[in-house]
DNA sequence: CCAGCGATCCGCCACG
DNA sequence: GCCGTGGCGGATCGCT
């Protein structure tokens, strides 16, 4: 039984911040957190001397690509060298990891490395808004969603800008260990556990020009996430945004990368998970609060996307927080695969 | 498991 | 012609 292994891939000249984000979240052991923490290795094609930001800093990278081969999660932070394509040996290692079933994540323009490795083909992905257009042009098989903080495609995750790496990293911790642990990490880093008040994944990012905060879609999103109990048909949502249903669907997809229905379901499930983890409310009540018509539909949709029942889910997390890292590996690796589509 | 039915999603096209 | 909008219809989804 061993800890979840995280390999952070560095190009020959790397960018400090994104690497620091990965190290801060996955590499720092926090005594108050009582689950077995990640085992982080920084690696590169040729281990040894490397630089950060040109001549700003020299560093020694201890591991080679074998760290990728041994990892459960591979993180590709910003590659900083936009001109030169990634090393073919690194791409091959990433491909191997992918076929092996490892989880891959990129921050910022690290998405280009994943795209070059081919693991984004046919998937949704995001990158820094500055590069979104180029990513889509160079890799037409990648469905680029430029306006989200991050995209979770299950085994392949991509974060948009620099700081949204924090959001994605916390999201992964949440998937692995639950909202409670993610919150502890966030608290220790003094960042909000979830941008936009506890809602998930498809929050709009700070994209420069579309920055009208009073945009109809955003208003509808904000309203619904604060009034999650209650049902919303497509027509209702369109009314909240003062738009026709057709236009609303269109604007919605642009702003969030998903469809209204899927977004709503995802919001409801995320909230339900939090309630399961943090409260003793009966399933019936949670179903009501999170806007599922009945406990039956709640259980059904929950099982459909998380592959467990609400009660099992709750029990798994309760077990985790009470048992001090005993037999955590099995449960956490099971939970690791839980994800919302 | 299948049928039936309404809701949703999205391509296509017309309008201003 | 361009762009944003919204109506229509068909494929598909998800519920009963």
């Amino acid at each position: 039984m061993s800890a979840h292994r995280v390999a952070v891939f560095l190009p020959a000249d790397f960018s400090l911040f994104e690497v620091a984000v990965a190290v801060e979240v996955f590499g720092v052991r926090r005594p108050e957190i009582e689950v077995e923490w990640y085992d982080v290795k920084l690696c590169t094609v040729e281990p040894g001397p490397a630089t950060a930001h040109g001549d700003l800093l020299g560093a020694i990278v201890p591991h080679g690509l074998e760290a990728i081969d041994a990892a459960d999660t591979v993180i590709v932070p910003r590659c900083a060298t936009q001109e030169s394509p990634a090393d073919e040996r690194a791409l091959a290692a990433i491909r191997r990891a992918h076929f092996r079933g490892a989880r891959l994540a990129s921050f910022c323009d690290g998405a280009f490395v994943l795209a070059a490795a081919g693991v984004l083909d046919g998937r949704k992905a995001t990158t820094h808004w500055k590069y979104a257009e180029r990513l889509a042009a160079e890799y037409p098989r990648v469905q680029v969603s430029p306006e989200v903080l991050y995209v979770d495609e299950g085994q392949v995750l991509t974060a948009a800008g620099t700081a949204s790496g924090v959001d994605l990293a916390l999201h992964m911790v949440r998937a692995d260990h639950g909202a409670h642990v993610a919150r502890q990490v966030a608290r220790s880093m003094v960042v909000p556990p979830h941008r936009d008040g506890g809602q998930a994944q498809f929050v709009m990012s700070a994209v420069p020009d579309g920055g009208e905060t009073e945009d109809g879609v955003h208003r509808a999103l904000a309203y619904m996430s604060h009034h999650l109990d209650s049902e919303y048909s497509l027509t209702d949502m369109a009314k909240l945004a003062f738009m026709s249903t057709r236009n609303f669907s269109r604007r919605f997809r642009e702003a969030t990368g998903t469809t209204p229905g899927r977004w709503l379901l995802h919001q409801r499930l995320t909230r339900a998970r939090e309630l399961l983890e943090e409260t003793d409310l009966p399933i019936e009540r949670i179903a009501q609060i999170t806007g599922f018509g009945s406990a039956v539909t709640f259980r059904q949709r929950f099982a459909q996307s998380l592959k467990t029942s609400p009660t099992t889910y709750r029990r798994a997390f309760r077990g985790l927080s009470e048992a001090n890292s005993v037999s955590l590996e099995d449960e956490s690796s099971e939970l690791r695969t839980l994800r919302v589509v």
Side-chain angles (χ1 to χ4, degrees):
Chain A
M1 127 154 27
S2 60
H4 186 114
R5 286 152 303 180
V6 175
V8 182
F9 173 73
L10 308 192
D13 183 49
F14 63 94
S15 166
L16 279 174
F17 190 91
E18 284 84 351
V19 174
V21 166
V23 170
E24 184 66 28
V25 173
F26 297 107
V28 174
R29 246 163 256 274
R30 295 173 170 84
E32 72 275 19
I33 296 179
E34 297 178 330
V35 299
E36 185 170 14
W37 209 239
Y38 302 86
D39 172 25
V40 174
K41 287 190 166 54
L42 302 191
C43 67
T44 186
V45 177
E46 306 279 0
T51 58
H53 306 274
D55 56 3
L56 271 186
L57 182 74
I60 305 291
V61 182
H63 300 284
L65 297 176
E66 72 282 352
I68 291 185
D69 286 316
D72 302 303
T73 293
V74 180
I75 296 180
V76 182
R78 182 159 166 70
C79 43
T81 50
Q82 277 290 307
E83 314 76 36
S84 53
D87 190 287
E88 189 47 51
R89 287 165 290 176
L91 296 183
I94 289 171
R95 247 173 252 130
R96 283 197 300 275
H98 180 61
F99 289 129
R100 189 160 52 76
R103 177 172 62 175
L104 308 177
S106 71
F107 298 163
C108 197
D109 66 3
F112 282 84
V113 176
L114 295 189
V119 300
L120 292 181
D121 286 353
R123 288 200 164 83
K124 271 182 285 204
T126 192
T127 184
H128 193 285
W129 53 267
K130 240 190 269 178
Y131 309 130
E133 213 169 304
R134 228 188 72 213
L135 183 66
E138 286 177 21
Y139 300 96
R141 302 190 54 198
V142 181
Q143 304 162 31
V144 182
S145 313
E147 309 208 10
V148 298
L149 286 177
Y150 58 84
V151 173
D152 177 355
E153 275 276 20
Q155 290 307 98
V156 186
L157 303 91
T158 47
T162 298
S164 62
V166 178
D167 296 281
L168 176 57
L170 288 176
H171 172 75
M172 292 193 276
V173 171
R174 193 175 305 118
D176 295 341
H177 300 293
H180 179 65
V181 171
R183 204 183 315 271
Q184 284 181 295
V185 177
R187 191 185 305 131
S188 130
M189 290 172 65
V190 199
V191 297
H194 238 152
R195 272 203 240 185
D196 199 79
Q199 304 315 318
Q201 198 169 349
F202 294 114
V203 208
M204 33 285 153
S205 59
V207 175
D209 72 337
E212 258 78 307
T213 40
E214 276 319 295
D215 155 326
V217 172
H218 290 199
R219 229 197 341 262
L221 287 172
Y223 182 86
M224 291 188 292
S225 41
H226 291 109
H227 302 83
L228 258 193
D229 57 320
S230 46
E231 310 215 353
Y232 302 95
S233 70
L234 186 62
T235 336
D236 296 335
M237 298 190 236
K239 273 185 193 136
L240 283 172
F242 301 110
M243 280 178 219
S244 71
T245 56
R246 183 67 190 88
N247 205 34
F248 180 73
S249 306
R250 192 158 32 211
R251 293 275 92 85
F252 195 96
R253 176 162 278 288
E254 282 169 17
T256 66
T258 11
T259 66
R262 272 200 269 276
W263 179 86
L264 238 190
L265 176 64
H266 187 262
Q267 298 303 303
R268 296 197 197 287
L269 285 172
T270 307
R271 184 83 191 100
R273 285 172 68 183
E274 289 172 4
L275 292 172
L276 284 169
E277 291 173 32
E278 288 156 23
T279 71
D280 288 316
L281 294 172
I283 307 296
E284 189 83 27
R285 180 84 187 102
I286 292 181
Q288 192 186 334
I289 296 173
T290 53
F292 290 96
S294 68
V296 182
T297 40
F298 170 51
R299 270 187 262 267
Q300 195 225 338
R301 314 297 331 256
F302 193 93
Q304 196 177 336
S305 64
L306 295 171
K307 316 287 180 221
T308 356
S309 71
T311 321
T312 313
Y313 183 88
R314 173 178 265 165
R315 204 165 334 132
F317 277 104
R318 288 305 151 86
L320 275 181
S321 48
E322 271 144 41
N324 277 0
S325 81
V326 187
S327 82
L328 285 183
E329 185 52 28
D330 287 354
E331 295 189 62
S332 66
S333 61
E334 178 198 331
L335 291 169
R336 189 178 304 142
T337 63
L338 299 181
R339 58 174 171 273
V340 180
V341 206

